[in-house]
């Protein structure tokens, strides 16, 4: 008997969805950052073993923010839920143990759609490694089981890989029978160009303060594998919605952009397993987060 299924990873921003997917795949397919709303697309990660293939659908965090980009992000998360066989909801247990009042507020938009999805639901109570005082987790578990009475609960640390085997075996129990749909060595359906743009965006998240990363987007303009035998040439544009942010992204004498470029180039080279020449440009495109055409061109929305 072979199993095949789509497993949606859903949860509030910053809950650890992308970290969990990367943990299962043993490599970074989705970018991760300490800030909320890092993931902007539905990103697949394919886990293949002898008797099962699971396609994890990592999704943007479910939030209550306004604006077109945010609406597009929610749409892709809900589409993942609709296209899944099993739902895994991730919660940041460390956050809710320390700040219980945030729990209902953050989970509110998730409760009904998940309960009404008609799919088996597993709740991954994440970041348990950060909970020093374990009894503070009890009210979190109690409240979560009120919100999702039908669900099963598994405490995990996505970062350290604790409880993740248990979670996976519960997922496998619920996944339907079916043949594999992807070759066993395929790890994602995302093209490498997209992954390269994401790597650059991740470096932006780490190098920029405050709200800046939320109004940046990355587009690969040139991807040239032909001109040089031993090297891939990549030109990427970093878009920012505000003129005064351009200077911050570039930094004094280009120092910030240089740092982003160096870090991103190393990681893209690792991904491609070959040398990479990366050039980065910064362009201002005011109001892009409200421009549906541009959002779609950036791969946001479906
Ligand atoms: N200590 C600890 N940190 C974790 C764990 N899981 C995730 N994190 C951290 O939490 C932060 C957010 O992780 P992400 O995987 O980007 O979270 P996400 O749910 O994908 O976030 P969005 O894409 O913004 O919705 C990162 O700094 C992770 O390193 C965990 O089990 N333990
Ligand atoms: Mg994410």
């Amino acid at each position: 008997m072979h199993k095949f299924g789509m497993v949606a990873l859903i949860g509030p921003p910053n809950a650890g969805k992308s970290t969990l997917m990367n943990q299962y795949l043993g490599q970074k397919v989705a970018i991760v950052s300490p800030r909320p709303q890092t993931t902007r697309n539905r990103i697949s990660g394919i886990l293949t073993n002898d008797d099962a293939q699971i396609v994890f659908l990592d999704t943007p965090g479910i939030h209550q923010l306004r604006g077109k980009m945010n609406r597009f992000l929610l749409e892709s998360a809900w589409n993942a839920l609709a296209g899944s066989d099993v739902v895994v909801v991730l919660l940041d247990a460390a956050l809710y143990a320390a700040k219980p009042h945030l729990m209902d507020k953050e989970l509110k938009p998730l409760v009904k759609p998940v309960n009404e999805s008609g799919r088996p639901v597993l709740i991954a109570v994440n970041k348990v490694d950060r909970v020093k005082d374990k009894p503070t987790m009890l009210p979190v578990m109690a409240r979560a089981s009120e919100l999702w009475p039908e669900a099963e609960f598994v405490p995990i640390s996505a970062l350290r890989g604790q409880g993740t085997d248990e979670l996976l075996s519960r997922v496998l129990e619920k996944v339907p029978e079916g043949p594999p749909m992807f070759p066993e060595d395929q790890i994602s359906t995302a093209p490498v160009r997209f992954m390269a743009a994401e790597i650059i965006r991740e470096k932006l998240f780490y190098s920029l303060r405050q709200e800046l990363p939320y109004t940046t987007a990355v587009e690969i303009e040139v991807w040239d594998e032909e001109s040089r035998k031993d090297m891939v040439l990549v030109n990427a544009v970093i878009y920012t919605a505000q003129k005064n942010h351009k200077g911050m992204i570039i930094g004094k004498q280009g120092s910030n952009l240089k740092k982003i470029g160096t870090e991103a180039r190393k990681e893209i080279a690792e991904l491609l397993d070959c040398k990479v020449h990366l050039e980065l440009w910064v362009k201002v495109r005011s109001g892009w987060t409200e421009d549906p055409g541009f959002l779609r061109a950036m791969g946001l929305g479906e």
Side-chain angles (χ1 to χ4, degrees):
M1 185 183 77
H2 189 278
K3 289 192 155 192
F4 176 84
M6 314 283 272
V7 177
L9 304 176
I10 303 265
N14 215 39
K17 303 175 292 295
S18 302
T19 304
L20 180 65
M21 186 166 89
N22 293 341
Q23 174 69 246
Y24 281 134
L25 301 178
Q27 78 175 66
K28 186 158 90 188
V29 169
I31 61 168
V32 164
S33 94
R35 314 232 190 153
Q37 285 181 281
T38 305
T39 305
R40 286 188 187 159
N41 307 71
R42 185 176 62 183
I43 301 170
S44 70
I46 305 164
L47 181 69
T48 305
N49 60 28
D50 289 342
D51 39 24
Q53 186 169 67
I54 291 182
V55 181
F56 289 105
L57 303 171
D58 182 20
T59 63
I62 304 289
H63 55 73
Q64 286 166 306
L65 302 169
R66 287 162 191 274
K68 276 212 181 64
M69 179 168 82
N70 289 320
R71 231 184 44 229
F72 277 39
L73 300 188
L74 287 181
E75 216 174 89
S76 82
W78 296 135
N79 284 343
L81 180 69
S84 67
D85 300 297
V86 177
V87 183
V88 175
V89 178
L90 273 94
L91 314 180
D92 183 339
L95 177 68
Y96 302 148
K99 297 182 179 167
H101 63 282
L102 285 182
M103 188 169 174
D104 274 35
K105 193 173 159 243
E106 285 207 338
L107 298 182
K108 194 173 166 229
L110 274 164
V111 174
K112 224 173 141 199
V114 168
N115 277 333
E116 290 176 357
S117 68
R119 279 141 181 98
V121 179
L122 284 152
I123 312 285
V125 183
N126 191 28
K127 306 198 190 181
V128 293
D129 61 288
R130 275 183 56 190
V131 184
K132 297 274 170 313
D133 185 13
K134 299 293 176 204
T136 59
M137 268 177 54
L138 294 175
V140 176
M141 301 287 269
R143 182 62 186 140
S145 54
E146 279 170 15
L147 296 175
W148 291 288
E150 312 270 326
E152 290 176 32
F153 290 79
V154 186
I156 65 161
S157 167
L159 189 66
R160 305 231 173 124
Q162 292 161 355
T164 46
D165 287 347
E166 169 68 19
L167 178 64
L168 184 62
S169 60
R170 302 275 195 103
V171 166
L172 284 168
E173 281 169 15
K174 294 169 184 27
V175 165
E177 277 177 43
M181 304 281 268
F182 299 96
E184 61 179 333
D185 58 352
Q186 188 172 345
I187 198 141
S188 179
T189 54
V192 282
R193 279 174 75 128
F194 168 80
M195 287 166 85
E198 286 288 277
I199 289 168
I200 297 165
R201 212 161 59 74
E202 183 186 69
K203 305 310 168 203
L204 278 162
F205 261 83
Y206 281 95
S207 78
L208 299 175
R209 281 168 213 281
Q210 293 137 16
E211 299 302 305
L212 247 74
Y214 301 107
T215 52
T216 57
V218 176
E219 183 181 35
I220 304 291
E221 275 201 330
V222 175
W223 186 278
D224 177 0
E225 300 182 3
E226 308 295 323
S227 302
R228 293 274 304 263
K229 242 199 206 146
D230 56 338
M231 196 181 258
V232 179
L233 309 177
V234 183
N235 286 9
V237 180
I238 297 169
Y239 289 101
T240 170
Q242 270 150 295
K243 221 174 172 178
N244 59 334
H245 286 171
K246 185 172 171 175
M248 293 188 228
I249 296 170
I250 294 171
K252 260 190 205 142
Q253 289 163 340
S255 57
N256 199 49
L257 194 63
K258 202 170 163 201
K259 188 165 166 273
I260 294 169
T262 307
E263 288 172 5
R265 179 180 47 76
K266 272 190 203 149
E267 215 173 297
I268 297 167
E270 251 171 61
L271 175 76
L272 303 178
D273 198 18
C274 112
K275 276 190 192 154
V276 169
H277 177 80
L278 174 64
E279 278 182 37
L280 294 178
W281 309 89
V282 184
K283 288 186 188 165
V284 180
R285 192 177 171 114
S286 42
W288 73 261
T289 58
E290 296 302 318
D291 176 351
F294 184 77
L295 288 166
R296 288 212 176 82
M298 290 288 110
L300 303 172
E302 292 175 29

